[in-house]
Amino acid sequence: MTVPSPLPVPRLRFAPSPTGFFHVGSARSALFNWLFTRQRGGTFILRIEDTDEARNRPEWTDGIIAALEWLGMPPDEGPYFQSAQGAAHQAAIEALWNSGALYACGCTREEIEARTKARAAAGDPTPGYDGYCRDLGLPRGEGRALRFRTPDEGSTTVVDLVRGEVEFPHRATEDFICVKGNGMPLFVLANAVDDRTMAISHVFRGEELLPTTPKQIMLWDALNVATATDLALPVYAHLPLLVNEQGKKLSKRRDPVAVEMYREQGYLPSAFRNYLALLGWSPGEDEIVPLEELIERFRIEDVQRSPAFFDIQKLTHMNGVYIRALSTSAFVAESRPWVDPVAGEWAPGGWHDPDADSATTPGPPWPTERFNDEVFGLMAPVVQERVATLSEVPALVDFLFLEDPPIDQKGWDKAIGRDEVAPKLLQGAFDLYADCEWQRDELHRVTSDLGESFGRKLGKAQAPIRVAVTGRQVGPPLFESLEVLGRDETRRRLAAALTRLRTTT
RNA sequence: GGUCCCAUCGUCUAGAGGCCUAGGACACCACCCUCUCAAGGUGGCGACACGGGUUCAAAUCCCGUUGGGACUGCCA
């Protein structure tokens, strides 16, 4: 009996550069790489491309690792650092140089531009480097970049899992620089060399890298020749760009792209991941798909070729669905960083206050010693079905933990200030609440009767009470809220509202 | 300018020649439910960019046009 030879284990890398917050586009790339490896029993590798000393910062690397962790897709291998691969890079450069694939170039940017201009004036619009130093036989030296000698004829074809075969004519490919004047490799080279040394089998990355792929293929082939090896090219898949409402590539400067920010706003990693998976790919009939199914159904070949708009509204809707699907105890646990941050653990920078102009203020709005776990747990079920993001939670329960919740002036004016029945309603509630049974249904009944005695439906009758007790016009169901708040505190606030009414009008 | 990519409702997508008077989801609108707000239910609005082919038959294949985008750095 023969044992079937095992399929090679796919090795995929996610290779961000640590030059800023973790970008949602990067997260999507990481996800597709990760899904593929989970499905095929492959290896998901994190490689930090940190060869640009000027822009790299170690904290950005920490951010990448934390974000992957948060999204539930930590690397199987790594992080590896491209900066630690210097020896391999230098060996590759040496081999390439010795094989004649490279030549030294001393042209400055200005010189190249001047020649391009002159050429254009003479009627030749070909842009880019003109191969001035190509056959000068210049020796290598400080300040001289190394260029790759591209063929004059023919073309290089990129075989891409999502785009099919894409052909790039050589005559439009300039002799590109792959080693800087200081001897350090450029992305195009370092990236390919690392993929070789790490035995990467599949390269799934953003579409913006498609134009550099033919160069990397030429380099790959030249490296095979120069080192007398026969490494197989990785399988490429270029994922559609993530764009903003103007259809432009998501930019770190103008668009909300930081994954960290979504975490702060209280998006669940499960929801975020699910939404990300829908950008450029579709699982079929249902969009809300548990992770195991995502892994099972994902097919790189089915990825869309056109760009996708990152729609926060849809993300938010999906997050609400995920939040509502949580058990109450899980919801309480997930809410903790927003309502009762634990020292030393991750905490968001703020919470969402619907009545304030600025979106967030730092920390929960109440002193931590006033937070009560049990009380929060009692309110949690009705809060859970009313939020789409966790940062909205504090505003729905702050009246429980604030000694005197601030009263929203607009709400006060509308529900109490401009309503002559309001004082009677507040007084009536204050009286009736003194000795009725303190239970939601009973409070409902009593308040409903009170309203009717003034010819009011409950919807209108509850408004002044809500504002007086919680400070807001909207919030969780009132009678649940009162039940949890307690009789004495409720009546104290009703009395305070009555006093305020007398002193301000 | 050059090279390359892309093109189904406002958005994300289903659709791999007949199943399409184009399906779903988000958003929007209306109604229902309702103690506010949500959630939920019901219904509505809404797309194959255009022009040529190929075919008995095209959203699906081919060509062109138009439109959008990416890249074009001694950044990654």
Side-chain angles (χ1 to χ4, degrees), chain A residues 11 24 38 50 61 85 89 91 104 181 195 234 289 320 383 399-400 504:
Chain A
R11 289 176 60 80
V24 292
R38 290 317 86 167
D50 58 346
T61 297
Q85 295 298 309
H89 298 156
D195 285 347
V289 180
V383 172
F399 73 95
L400 290 169
T504 57

Side-chain angles (χ1 to χ4, degrees), chain A residues 448-491:
Chain A
S448 186
D449 290 350
L450 172 67
E452 259 168 53
S453 70
F454 291 102
R456 278 204 175 176
K457 291 216 191 280
L458 227 205
K460 287 283 278 176
Q462 57 92 41
I465 301 171
R466 180 183 291 280
V467 172
V469 175
T470 72
R472 299 178 189 278
Q473 290 186 87
V474 301
L478 183 62
F479 307 113
E480 274 88 339
S481 301
L482 299 187
E483 184 185 304
V484 173
L485 220 212
R487 187 197 305 273
D488 294 345
E489 183 59 16
T490 298
R491 294 185 73 240

Side-chain angles (χ1 to χ4, degrees), chain A residues 419 421-434 436 438 441-466 468-469 478-479 482 490-491 494 498:
Chain A
D419 180 358
V421 185
K424 299 187 190 111
L425 245 14
L426 292 176
Q427 185 62 54
F430 178 81
D431 294 339
L432 289 165
Y433 289 175
C436 74
W438 201 252
D441 296 329
E442 191 58 13
L443 287 163
H444 184 296
R445 193 186 61 75
V446 166
T447 311
S448 186
D449 290 350
L450 172 67
E452 259 168 53
S453 70
F454 291 102
R456 278 204 175 176
K457 291 216 191 280
L458 227 205
K460 287 283 278 176
Q462 57 92 41
I465 301 171
R466 180 183 291 280
V469 175
L478 183 62
F479 307 113
L482 299 187
T490 298
R491 294 185 73 240
L494 288 171
L498 255 5

Side-chain angles (χ1 to χ4, degrees), chain A residues 8 35 90 115 159 164 183 211 215 255 270 285 290 324 381 395 404 409 412 420 442 473 484 498:
Chain A
L35 285 174
Q90 291 311 319
R115 287 202 298 270
V159 180
K215 298 175 185 174
D255 303 307
S270 50
E285 60 278 10
R324 274 174 260 127
D404 282 298
Q409 190 58 45
W412 172 274
E420 69 283 357
E442 191 58 13
Q473 290 186 87
V484 173
L498 255 5

Side-chain angles (χ1 to χ4, degrees), chain A residues 329-492:
Chain A
S329 58
F331 172 71
V332 168
E334 294 287 355
S335 300
R336 171 127 290 125
W338 283 266
V339 297
D340 184 29
V342 177
E345 288 187 15
W346 179 88
W351 59 290
H352 180 73
D353 180 356
D355 296 325
D357 289 335
S358 66
T360 62
T361 57
W366 49 79
T368 44
E369 66 273 14
R370 281 191 62 92
F371 178 76
N372 182 315
D373 219 16
E374 201 180 323
V375 167
F376 180 63
L378 290 171
M379 281 302 284
V382 294
V383 172
Q384 183 175 0
E385 42 187 326
R386 284 175 171 72
V387 296
T389 59
L390 264 13
S391 62
E392 296 164 48
V393 172
L396 292 183
V397 295
D398 59 356
F399 73 95
L400 290 169
F401 306 122
L402 251 20
E403 189 154 3
D404 282 298
I407 296 198
D408 173 53
Q409 190 58 45
K410 282 216 309 258
W412 172 274
D413 291 343
K414 184 165 179 222
I416 299 175
R418 288 200 298 270
D419 180 358
E420 69 283 357
V421 185
K424 299 187 190 111
L425 245 14
L426 292 176
Q427 185 62 54
F430 178 81
D431 294 339
L432 289 165
Y433 289 175
D435 48 30
C436 74
E437 190 196 342
W438 201 252
Q439 190 272 339
R440 61 189 69 175
D441 296 329
E442 191 58 13
L443 287 163
H444 184 296
R445 193 186 61 75
V446 166
T447 311
S448 186
D449 290 350
L450 172 67
E452 259 168 53
S453 70
F454 291 102
R456 278 204 175 176
K457 291 216 191 280
L458 227 205
K460 287 283 278 176
Q462 57 92 41
I465 301 171
R466 180 183 291 280
V467 172
V469 175
T470 72
R472 299 178 189 278
Q473 290 186 87
V474 301
L478 183 62
F479 307 113
E480 274 88 339
S481 301
L482 299 187
E483 184 185 304
V484 173
L485 220 212
R487 187 197 305 273
D488 294 345
E489 183 59 16
T490 298
R491 294 185 73 240
R492 187 185 72 78

